[in-house]
Amino acid sequence: MAINAMRSGLLAVGMCLTGTAAAQTVISIESWRAEDQAIWDDLILPVFEAQNPDIDVQFKPTTATEYNAALNARLAGGTAGDIITCRPFDNALAMYEAGSLAEIGSIAGLSNFSDVAKAAWSTDSGDAKFCVPMASVIHGFMYNKDAFAELEIEVPKTESDFYAVLDKIKEDGTYIPMAMGTKDQWEAATMGYTNVGPSYWAGEEGRLALISGDAKLTDDVYVQVFEQMAKWTSYLGNGYQAQGYTDSQNLFTLGRAAIYPTGSWEITGFQENADFELGAFAPPRKDADSKCYISDHTDIGIGMNAATENKEAVMKFLEWTTSAEFAEILTNAAPGFFSLSTHDIKVENALAQEFVAMRGECEPTIRLAHQILSRGEPALGNQLWTLTANVINGSQTPEDAAKEAQANLDGWFKP
Amino acid sequence: MANTERPTHRRPIRWYILVFLAPATLIYTIFAIYPILESLRLSLFQANENGATFEGLANYARLIQEPYWAEQFWNAFKNNVLLFLMHMLIQNPIALALAALLSVPTLKGAAVYRTILFLPTLLSVVVVGFIWQLILSPLWGVTPAFMNFLGVGSFFKPWLGLESSALVTVTLISIWQYVGIPLMLFYAALLNVPEETIEAARIDGLNGWWIFWKVKLPLILPSLGLVGILTYIGNFTASFDLIYSIQGGLAGPDYSTDVMGTFLFRTFFGFQAQLGDVYMGATVASALFFIILIGVALYLFGVQRRLQRYES
């Protein structure tokens, strides 16, 4: 009996194995979010695979800084994955124009996204869409709540509050006021310049004015932001010039720094590593009467490799990413990445809620240089990295940096 | 039939030479000559709506005339030249001095020193980059604490992050890692200096110091030339790995450690918001090829031919 049962059991298992192996389509996802491997493997993909047993989805990320270069090389060599995680605007657009990304406008679920979200992955005319919007990240500052309580400081609201807080932390000396370095350069621009900048150039107004040619980077509002960056220098830790991104992260999560200019994408990692209360506040407004602005950046989209051999399976997966179910899992499995869909999703993570709350108070905009301004040589997005780092390092004056950025932009950009 | 009536004293074709040469020629052609020719070809094209069109030397003109390219190109070139000079003036003299010491016959434990000095060369560049970044880190590194202990803590600077010192620091790290290679070449050459010659010099009344300068050094001159040219080539090709692993693709701060390799990497593959340009990338690669070619040619015709080899 037992032997018989075992035999039939084995037979059944064997049939299952051969059955699935024959019918399953394997598709893979290219992504720069290597940190999210576990979230995709354990929480997101099993749900899809349970509903579509004939499709096996694999999440295959590359390190963030290598992603664009590696992906383009793989696309050119025909070895890229079936599904491509898209950077917003110019970068994905260039991939679409090069024929690497497929048009996916036929996906019905795209109606679940606002036009603003879709604009990040459409051609300028809006006719063709090449990625499904996935998530946005919100910029702001995280702070060590314990440190703030210990020093009896309130969360700053305006620029003058902000510097008062920093002065107080510096005077006390227990904590480094702000954890940021200039070694990797992108932090300076992303966490500094484009984080606090919208308050000065009035968010979308200032961003669109640059694109239309009505404003120049040498205008006061943009130079002021560089001036802010120059002011930050005295609040950074010793040797910030050789301090990289991971150094800053560690400095903050080890409780040695009080404030960390950042974005919501850090939530998961920081909550795992920090053993103190974390809080978040929006970039300071210019003064009590002015509006506040946040960079609520359409950061991640997901599209199809035009050369994939599994179009049907990929489309099925992309369709699923437009669903409320996916939005819900993503928002709560990866707190800090806020679904761009219009589904009503409840954010459960407390720190993520603090970031979402900023949307209620402040006007949203996206990162300054991502749309159109990064299409030429040099791409303004990259230029800002080096220039902001230079300003903080004191090797370039704010006026100088602004002048260089504008001159470079003038070199190729016609509004 | 005519063949058989021809005189038979002609040597038969030595097919085995071809057979022996074939594998190396084949591999070298596929993996070295063909890619070089292909990138030379690509450098003559420019991308446009219909793929790419032939533009002659336009890319080279852009590389040295258009401010955006010229600035990066000359900066990278200048840094490469500095890197080369520093290696020639620091690395190779140190290697020569160490080799001279190691080859002293009365030195005890020469094998141990030799191994220790050569060890860093065996490490992966990424490991070396990571270790030195940590050692020099103003936050977690041992250097600040160690310098404080010695009472010179106030002289500590985040060297890798300062424009004024980043290139020198990276160079010193590279020297620390690679000093073993010229060391071994010099050492091997010094061991080849015949004992009788040294003996004769000693009988003539020269001490160790003068024996080195007057006898050994002239005899190992060909090795000096070889090390020089290897240093030259290495600076243009191998410098990329270390700089990329320590300073990243942007070769910061403010491109102060940018070399031809990192410049080529950014141009060819793109970097973050900047998209890669295969054709400009190929142009940079070809320019690099010509720079190396010119250097090697100058060495071959200018130096190598004048070097005398002394046979014992």
Side-chain angles (χ1 to χ4, degrees), chain B residues 27-309:
Chain B
I27 291 173
Y28 192 67
T29 309
I30 295 175
F31 293 106
I33 298 175
Y34 169 68
I36 288 175
L37 291 179
E38 180 66 12
S39 74
L40 285 175
R41 191 184 68 82
L42 277 181
S43 72
L44 304 177
F45 286 77
Q46 254 171 34
N48 59 15
E49 295 81 32
N50 333 314
T53 47
F54 182 80
E55 298 284 343
L57 296 175
N59 284 339
Y60 292 92
R62 282 174 80 196
L63 190 63
I64 48 175
Q65 280 171 357
E66 234 175 71
Y68 169 67
W69 292 106
E71 209 176 286
Q72 293 189 79
F73 174 73
W74 291 117
N75 176 51
F77 181 72
K78 180 200 78 188
N79 286 337
N80 256 136
V81 171
L82 285 176
L83 213 64
F84 170 65
L85 291 179
M86 282 192 278
H87 276 90
M88 282 305 272
L89 295 176
I90 305 171
Q91 172 185 280
N92 297 344
I94 291 179
L96 184 61
L98 288 171
L101 289 177
L102 281 179
S103 64
V104 171
T106 50
L107 182 76
K108 288 213 172 69
V112 177
Y113 293 128
R114 214 167 53 205
T115 313
I116 291 175
L117 290 168
F118 197 69
L119 219 49
T121 311
L122 303 174
L123 293 177
S124 149
V125 180
V126 180
V127 174
V128 171
F130 186 71
I131 291 175
W132 275 101
Q133 248 181 313
L134 267 184
I135 292 177
L136 295 175
S137 164
L139 296 168
W140 337 103
V142 294
T143 318
F146 184 67
M147 286 179 65
N148 274 332
F149 174 73
L150 294 178
V152 289
S154 57
F155 290 100
F156 177 78
K157 291 267 156 49
W159 289 293
L160 282 173
L162 300 178
E163 267 175 61
S164 52
S165 59
L167 187 66
V168 178
T169 313
V170 172
T171 310
L172 291 177
I173 295 173
S174 156
I175 290 173
W176 175 84
Q177 178 175 17
Y178 287 120
V179 76
I181 291 177
L183 168 67
M184 283 302 141
L185 291 169
F186 289 141
Y187 182 62
L190 283 171
L191 289 187
N192 270 339
V193 175
E195 199 54 42
E196 305 84 61
T197 322
I198 297 171
E199 200 79 356
R202 189 157 290 142
I203 291 167
D204 282 346
L206 288 185
N207 59 17
W209 175 258
W210 286 112
I211 288 177
F212 176 77
W213 288 108
K214 293 286 182 196
V215 180
K216 288 182 179 173
L217 195 62
L219 286 176
I220 65 163
L221 265 185
S223 294
L224 280 179
L226 178 73
V227 165
I229 200 67
L230 284 180
T231 311
Y232 180 78
I233 297 172
N235 271 299
F236 282 100
T237 55
S239 55
F240 168 77
D241 324 12
L242 193 67
I243 289 173
Y244 185 75
S245 75
I246 296 180
Q247 304 291 59
L250 280 181
D254 199 15
Y255 300 109
S256 61
T257 52
D258 202 18
V259 290
M260 294 298 286
T262 41
F263 174 43
L264 164 63
F265 173 81
R266 282 199 315 275
T267 312
F268 194 92
F269 292 105
F271 197 80
Q272 201 68 15
Q274 192 76 61
L275 287 168
D277 181 343
V278 177
Y279 305 102
M280 267 325 265
T283 310
V284 178
S286 305
L288 180 54
F289 171 70
F290 288 124
I291 291 169
I292 295 177
L293 193 69
I294 292 169
V296 173
L298 283 178
Y299 168 77
L300 276 181
F301 297 112
V303 182
Q304 177 92 322
R305 294 195 164 183
R306 293 194 196 154
L307 283 179
Q308 286 186 27
R309 285 181 185 276

Side-chain angles (χ1 to χ4, degrees), chain A residues 66-86:
Chain A
E66 320 263 306
Y67 181 70
N68 298 19
L71 177 63
N72 280 324
R74 281 201 288 270
L75 283 168
T79 56
D82 306 278
I83 298 175
I84 312 271
T85 307
C86 312

